[in-house]
Amino acid sequence: MKTIKTFGKTFGLAAVLSATAFAGAEAHVTFLDREAKQDSTILATLQVPHGCDGKATTEVRVKLPEGFVFAKPQPKAGWELEVIKGDYQKTYDNHGDKVKTGAIEVRWKNGNLSDDFYDTFVIQGKVSGVEAGTSLAFPVTQMCGDTVTAWDQVAKEGGDAHGLKSPAPLLKVVAGEDHGHDHDDMTGMDMSGMAGMAAAAPAGETVKAGDLEISGGFAKAMLPGQPVGGGFFTVKNNGKTDDRLLSVTSPVSGEVQIHEMETKDNVMRMRQLKDGIAIAAGETVKLEPGNLHLMFQKVKTPFKQGDTVPVTLTFERAGKVDLVLQVLSAQGK
Ligand SMILES: [Cu+2]
């Protein structure tokens, strides 16, 4: 089934200037290829690595920014497709035809994508009339029944995209010729964890550091094209003093963030915990899917089942602790 609706109003310009402001920023819903050449027709391939806390994704809505024109979504088996048309702000030339209207939003509806699975949603379109260096934002709404996750935040010009709780996926527009690819940019990589690798206990084993006992470490296998990986473990504080997990590094990842999932007003979001996680005296804190977790960004080689992922945890009191996470299946089993 395909329905076409028309919006009388134009959709606001979602372009963001100063792409350098986003260097190193990692959104959770991202494009497989985050760069597009000026005036080229591309397949904008959206990937949604997280489901909705165990619930299946049933609808994915993508708003298309000005400058991404003549858009056509790829139909997917098991999903209804709705294309919402509206006026462009500018007029675009399509092989000699002056075009003023087109798709401004695409919705894949009434599907059923298990939280255990990964999928991509593809829209063909042309990047037109956009200056090189501009990042186009595609606000996404992911719905799992009545749970709604809005990936729609855009940093102000010069602002820090890292601080955003649920950033919109971005497509960086680059000059048509001879642009440098920086997909493999690992300049942020921290090798400091390497030194401790030999000393770390075997994957999944319990590690003791001062009053802390860390156990059950695992990571989820990453599916092809998936940009980020999740890591989990349990920390028990046997002492009488509070501690805090401050930061995490890994030699296999450019950046490891500490995240939590939170549901507010029925909207589930991913949040980076910049102050880390409190490990109160006598308490046990569990990092687990759908809750607190490590998020591995800029992963060099996708995690495969059977691999191990060394991490160095830094605690306020217990100091640096080396841990090896066992890579389980993509379902974390
Ligand atoms: Cu996360």
Side-chain angles (χ1 to χ4, degrees), residues 44 51 73 82-84 92 124 131 141 144 166 189 194 209 259 271 282 327:
E82 181 180 9
V83 177
I84 296 169
Y92 295 88
Q124 179 193 274
E131 266 183 69
T141 305
C144 303
S166 55
M189 188 162 160
M194 284 291 205
H259 280 192
R271 189 161 85 95
V327 180

Short mmCIF file of all heavy atoms in Angstrom, two decimals, residues 44 51 73 82-84 92 124 131 141 144 166 189 194 209 259 271 282 327:
data_model
loop_
_atom_site.label_atom_id
_atom_site.label_comp_id
_atom_site.label_asym_id
_atom_site.label_seq_id
_atom_site.Cartn_x
_atom_site.Cartn_y
_atom_site.Cartn_z
N ALA A 44 20.78 7.24 0.43
CA ALA A 44 20.96 7.59 1.85
C ALA A 44 20.46 6.39 2.65
O ALA A 44 19.28 6.06 2.63
CB ALA A 44 20.16 8.83 2.19
N GLY A 51 17.24 -1.08 19.22
CA GLY A 51 15.78 -1.18 19.16
C GLY A 51 15.18 -0.35 20.28
O GLY A 51 15.78 0.61 20.74
N PRO A 73 11.91 6.53 -1.73
CA PRO A 73 12.30 5.50 -0.76
C PRO A 73 12.29 4.11 -1.39
O PRO A 73 11.56 3.85 -2.35
CB PRO A 73 11.21 5.61 0.31
CG PRO A 73 10.02 6.11 -0.42
CD PRO A 73 10.51 6.96 -1.56
N GLU A 82 4.78 5.18 3.14
CA GLU A 82 4.03 6.42 2.94
C GLU A 82 5.01 7.53 2.60
O GLU A 82 6.03 7.69 3.26
CB GLU A 82 3.27 6.79 4.22
CG GLU A 82 2.45 8.07 4.07
CD GLU A 82 1.70 8.44 5.35
OE1 GLU A 82 1.93 7.81 6.39
OE2 GLU A 82 0.90 9.37 5.28
N VAL A 83 4.70 8.25 1.53
CA VAL A 83 5.55 9.37 1.12
C VAL A 83 4.74 10.65 1.27
O VAL A 83 3.66 10.76 0.70
CB VAL A 83 6.02 9.20 -0.33
CG1 VAL A 83 6.84 10.41 -0.76
CG2 VAL A 83 6.84 7.92 -0.47
N ILE A 84 5.25 11.56 2.08
CA ILE A 84 4.54 12.83 2.27
C ILE A 84 5.21 13.86 1.38
O ILE A 84 6.43 14.06 1.45
CB ILE A 84 4.58 13.25 3.75
CG1 ILE A 84 3.80 12.21 4.57
CG2 ILE A 84 4.00 14.65 3.93
CD1 ILE A 84 3.97 12.35 6.05
N TYR A 92 14.23 23.37 -8.13
CA TYR A 92 15.35 22.53 -8.54
C TYR A 92 15.17 22.09 -9.99
O TYR A 92 14.05 21.91 -10.46
CB TYR A 92 15.46 21.31 -7.62
CG TYR A 92 15.80 21.70 -6.20
CD1 TYR A 92 14.79 22.00 -5.28
CD2 TYR A 92 17.13 21.81 -5.78
CE1 TYR A 92 15.10 22.37 -3.98
CE2 TYR A 92 17.44 22.18 -4.49
CZ TYR A 92 16.43 22.46 -3.59
OH TYR A 92 16.74 22.84 -2.31
N GLN A 124 16.65 7.01 -2.02
CA GLN A 124 17.45 7.57 -3.09
C GLN A 124 17.06 9.03 -3.26
O GLN A 124 15.88 9.38 -3.20
CB GLN A 124 17.17 6.82 -4.40
CG GLN A 124 17.96 7.38 -5.57
CD GLN A 124 17.46 6.85 -6.90
OE1 GLN A 124 17.87 5.79 -7.34
NE2 GLN A 124 16.55 7.58 -7.52
N GLU A 131 25.99 23.81 -0.18
CA GLU A 131 27.42 24.14 -0.12
C GLU A 131 28.22 23.01 0.52
O GLU A 131 27.78 22.38 1.47
CB GLU A 131 27.61 25.38 0.77
CG GLU A 131 27.64 26.69 0.03
CD GLU A 131 27.89 27.85 1.00
OE1 GLU A 131 29.01 27.93 1.53
OE2 GLU A 131 26.96 28.62 1.21
N THR A 141 12.07 9.60 13.50
CA THR A 141 11.25 9.13 14.61
C THR A 141 11.15 7.62 14.51
O THR A 141 10.74 7.09 13.48
CB THR A 141 9.84 9.76 14.55
OG1 THR A 141 9.97 11.17 14.49
CG2 THR A 141 9.03 9.39 15.78
N CYS A 144 8.08 2.10 18.40
CA CYS A 144 7.93 0.69 18.76
C CYS A 144 6.58 0.60 19.44
O CYS A 144 6.48 0.82 20.65
CB CYS A 144 9.04 0.26 19.71
SG CYS A 144 10.70 0.51 19.04
N SER A 166 19.85 12.87 21.74
CA SER A 166 19.34 12.05 20.64
C SER A 166 19.51 12.80 19.32
O SER A 166 18.57 13.35 18.78
CB SER A 166 17.88 11.69 20.88
OG SER A 166 17.13 12.86 21.08
N MET A 189 42.08 7.62 18.67
CA MET A 189 42.30 6.33 19.31
C MET A 189 43.26 6.43 20.48
O MET A 189 44.29 7.06 20.42
CB MET A 189 42.88 5.37 18.26
CG MET A 189 42.99 3.96 18.75
SD MET A 189 43.16 2.88 17.34
CE MET A 189 43.86 1.45 18.13
N MET A 194 46.39 -0.72 25.98
CA MET A 194 47.22 -1.83 25.50
C MET A 194 48.16 -2.37 26.57
O MET A 194 48.33 -3.56 26.71
CB MET A 194 48.09 -1.37 24.31
CG MET A 194 47.33 -1.24 23.02
SD MET A 194 46.82 -2.86 22.42
CE MET A 194 46.67 -2.52 20.68
N ALA A 209 39.37 -5.35 42.30
CA ALA A 209 40.22 -4.17 42.39
C ALA A 209 39.78 -3.41 43.62
O ALA A 209 38.71 -2.81 43.63
CB ALA A 209 40.07 -3.31 41.14
N HIS A 259 26.73 5.19 28.64
CA HIS A 259 25.38 5.61 28.26
C HIS A 259 24.31 5.02 29.17
O HIS A 259 24.53 4.00 29.80
CB HIS A 259 25.05 5.09 26.84
CG HIS A 259 25.64 5.92 25.76
ND1 HIS A 259 25.27 5.78 24.46
CD2 HIS A 259 26.57 6.89 25.77
CE1 HIS A 259 25.95 6.63 23.70
NE2 HIS A 259 26.75 7.31 24.48
N ARG A 271 21.31 8.44 26.47
CA ARG A 271 21.92 9.60 27.10
C ARG A 271 23.35 9.26 27.48
O ARG A 271 23.60 8.20 28.05
CB ARG A 271 21.11 9.93 28.36
CG ARG A 271 21.48 11.22 29.02
CD ARG A 271 20.34 11.67 29.92
NE ARG A 271 20.43 11.03 31.23
CZ ARG A 271 21.01 11.62 32.28
NH1 ARG A 271 21.55 12.81 32.16
NH2 ARG A 271 21.04 11.02 33.44
N GLY A 282 28.41 -0.96 49.11
CA GLY A 282 27.49 -2.08 49.34
C GLY A 282 26.54 -2.38 48.19
O GLY A 282 25.77 -3.32 48.24
N VAL A 327 32.88 -11.36 23.41
CA VAL A 327 31.88 -10.95 22.43
C VAL A 327 30.89 -12.10 22.21
O VAL A 327 31.26 -13.18 21.76
CB VAL A 327 32.51 -10.53 21.10
CG1 VAL A 327 31.41 -10.10 20.10
CG2 VAL A 327 33.51 -9.40 21.31
#
